[in-house]
Amino acid sequence: MTRVIHTGDTHVGYQQYNVPDRRDDFLDAFRQVVRDAIADDADAVVHAGDLFHDRRPALADIMGTLSVLEELSEASIPFLAVVGNHEAKRDAQWLDLYESLGLATRLDDEPTVIGDTAFYGLDFVPRSQRDDLDYDFAAHDADSAALVTHGLFQPFDYGDWDAEEILTESSVAFDAMLLGDNHDPGKQRVDDAWVTYCGSTERASASEREDRGYNIVTFDDEVRITRRGLDTREFVFIDVELGPEEGVERVRSRVGQHDLDDAVVIVSISGDGDPVTPASVESFALDRGALVARVTDHREITAEERETDISFADPDDAVTERVRDLGLSEAAHDIDETIRASKVADANVKDEVERHVRELLSEVSDALTADTEATASADADDTDGSTPANEADTDDDVAANEAGGTDNESQASVEEFL
């Protein structure tokens, strides 16, 4: 039997709401997971990516994580992990640093056997690169096998990577896929294997209302997945539906009914009633001990009534949600992923985006050329070859020139885009 703690999306270093205390919270949640593993004498801690929130964490975050991993190492409990999209760098990963210190194992296509279970890893892979994957893993002789990876997988919500395809095409028969990236926990049976998300260890977004935690996965005659919660900072969610002529006093009254000490307070306003100034409610909550207060008025109000308010509460979450709603093409999604969530180093993003755009322009140009040649061939058949070679461009030629342009024009378009 092998019993491991499956965690991920710890996002160490995330200074949410620009509040230093929240930065500490993310490291504290990770420390809780490790201490639970030590207290339970788990066989391993398996981390499914996004150990850090950023590919360039601060020294304090690197050293804080080092301290936590040292606790785990002193208890002789292995730390097995893959690289997520938030922390990924172009070359050496932070996980490699901890591995060089003997504090971690970066999982890959070779089996790492813990007890009677072989663990494999697949780092986050951008969508544009997944067609090149062959899912060829080295053989093992353990009783069970699990793949640890990071991404948004079907059949879960927002999935853009097919878990069934991996399980079907893999050279190894996996009993479970231990996933990271989706901050909501869940499990489903896919192709005779359990596919499960552990969820995040701290609330990285105000939309994450459920308690945070991690999975305990036991490999025996069958795979058993249970869940354990974490004691994280209190989030107080207050939904206020205003009636006619109700306003800020009603909102304050509702907020005042809660214990707000050191809590993150999220107020959501709907219904009718008078305009409410978010800042006045936020100040009310802060005066009563809240660490952070954020107010969102979901009602339709006029421009004159609307308070100009800029919030930096959850920019990553807001951008991701907005991108989903835009209905972008596959090419646009690839470029967005390169800019915001790929393994491309920040300094190389511009060159990588330019490469994507050049490839797209080349594909368009090739397609237009093929159409033009086909049209020209058809015209030649119709005119028994009598059309002069220097005759004016056909409509298709004009269209091709307008769409593709010259090489110089294409270069100008790329530079203008960047």
Side-chain angles (χ1 to χ4, degrees):
M1 181 183 77
T2 305
R3 184 169 55 87
V4 302
I5 283 182
H6 166 214
T7 188
D9 294 290
T10 44
H11 290 275
V12 174
Y14 185 22
Q15 189 160 300
Q16 191 182 34
Y17 307 115
N18 204 32
V19 175
D21 292 48
R22 287 299 289 149
R23 189 185 203 119
D24 296 338
D25 290 343
F26 283 84
L27 180 60
D28 288 344
F30 180 44
R31 184 179 288 109
Q32 275 191 63
V33 175
V34 164
R35 291 181 175 174
D36 283 355
I38 295 171
D40 289 353
D41 194 24
D43 292 316
V45 172
V46 178
H47 195 289
D50 281 355
L51 176 62
F52 290 110
H53 184 69
D54 192 273
R55 59 175 58 96
R56 291 181 294 182
L59 180 59
D61 304 318
I62 297 169
M63 297 305 295
T65 302
L66 176 68
S67 175
V68 173
L69 293 179
E70 285 177 337
E71 285 190 45
L72 195 63
S73 178
E74 289 170 3
S76 299
I77 297 176
F79 182 76
L80 317 179
V82 296
V83 177
N85 58 301
H86 269 259
E87 66 203 337
K89 300 192 298 170
R90 189 172 184 85
D91 297 313
Q93 308 298 324
W94 293 110
L95 189 55
D96 297 329
L97 169 65
Y98 296 128
E99 185 171 47
S100 71
L101 297 173
L103 301 176
T105 297
R106 183 178 175 186
L107 296 171
D108 54 21
D109 55 5
E110 294 288 334
T112 297
V113 178
I114 302 295
D116 54 11
T117 303
F119 291 89
Y120 296 80
L122 179 62
D123 293 339
F124 173 80
V125 179
R127 282 193 298 181
S128 60
Q129 300 175 22
R130 291 173 193 166
D131 288 344
D132 298 329
L133 297 176
D134 56 13
Y135 306 117
D136 185 17
F137 299 93
H140 69 90
D141 56 6
D143 294 339
S144 306
L147 175 64
V148 184
T149 187
H150 189 92
L152 296 177
F153 287 88
Q154 299 171 7
F156 296 92
D157 291 343
Y158 308 117
D160 59 15
W161 198 349
D162 192 352
E164 185 175 13
E165 177 183 339
I166 295 178
L167 292 168
T168 301
E169 296 185 5
S170 171
S171 58
V172 168
F174 291 115
D175 300 284
M177 288 180 65
L178 309 184
L179 308 178
D181 201 11
N182 190 334
H183 289 192
D184 293 328
K187 62 181 180 180
Q188 294 200 39
R189 193 77 173 169
V190 178
D191 195 28
D192 295 327
W194 280 109
V195 179
T196 180
Y197 280 102
C198 54
S200 59
T201 53
E202 251 291 358
R203 291 180 177 91
S205 162
S207 64
E208 298 169 19
R209 293 200 173 197
E210 299 300 320
D211 290 342
R212 301 294 93 187
Y214 56 84
N215 288 341
I216 301 173
V217 185
T218 303
F219 297 87
D220 204 346
D221 294 334
E222 60 182 3
V223 178
R224 297 189 302 277
I225 303 169
T226 58
R227 185 154 182 82
R228 179 181 291 167
L230 288 167
D231 183 16
T232 59
R233 183 176 297 277
E234 184 74 17
F235 268 56
V236 178
F237 296 96
I238 305 171
D239 299 320
V240 184
E241 184 174 358
L242 296 179
E245 300 182 1
E246 289 184 327
V248 67
E249 290 305 321
R250 170 60 176 162
V251 178
R252 287 177 177 174
S253 175
R254 286 289 308 281
V255 171
Q257 296 172 12
H258 297 266
D259 180 4
L260 308 182
D261 284 347
D262 289 326
V264 176
V265 180
I266 306 296
V267 182
S268 177
I269 303 173
S270 61
D272 300 317
D274 299 330
V276 173
T277 303
S280 65
V281 179
E282 291 172 356
S283 297
F284 180 84
L286 293 173
D287 289 343
R288 280 153 182 77
L291 175 70
V292 176
R294 290 292 183 270
V295 177
T296 303
D297 192 337
H298 297 282
R299 301 171 299 165
E300 294 183 1
I301 55 179
T302 65
E304 290 78 13
E305 294 171 328
R306 185 181 300 276
E307 176 193 21
T308 300
D309 180 49
I310 300 175
S311 174
F312 299 95
D314 294 296
D316 289 341
D317 190 61
V319 170
T320 298
E321 183 176 348
R322 179 57 180 149
V323 168
R324 287 183 187 135
D325 294 339
L326 290 176
L328 300 178
S329 67
E330 185 72 19
H333 275 294
D334 284 346
I335 292 174
D336 169 69
E337 193 171 58
T338 298
I339 295 172
R340 294 194 304 115
S342 77
K343 295 183 179 181
V344 179
D346 291 350
N348 299 322
V349 165
K350 179 177 178 180
D351 291 341
E352 185 67 12
V353 170
E354 181 173 346
R355 184 185 67 79
H356 272 301
V357 175
R358 284 184 179 280
E359 289 178 354
L360 292 171
L361 289 172
S362 177
E363 290 173 4
V364 170
S365 178
D366 290 346
L368 289 171
T369 299
D371 287 345
T372 302
E373 291 175 350
T375 301
S377 176
D379 289 345
D381 291 340
D382 290 342
T383 59
D384 64 14
S386 60
T387 303
N390 61 349
E391 190 172 316
D393 292 339
T394 65
D395 290 341
D396 283 342
D397 292 331
V398 173
N401 288 332
E402 290 177 348
T406 65
D407 288 342
N408 290 337
E409 289 169 345
S410 297
Q411 175 66 24
S413 298
V414 171
E415 292 176 350
E416 182 178 339
F417 174 84
L418 298 176

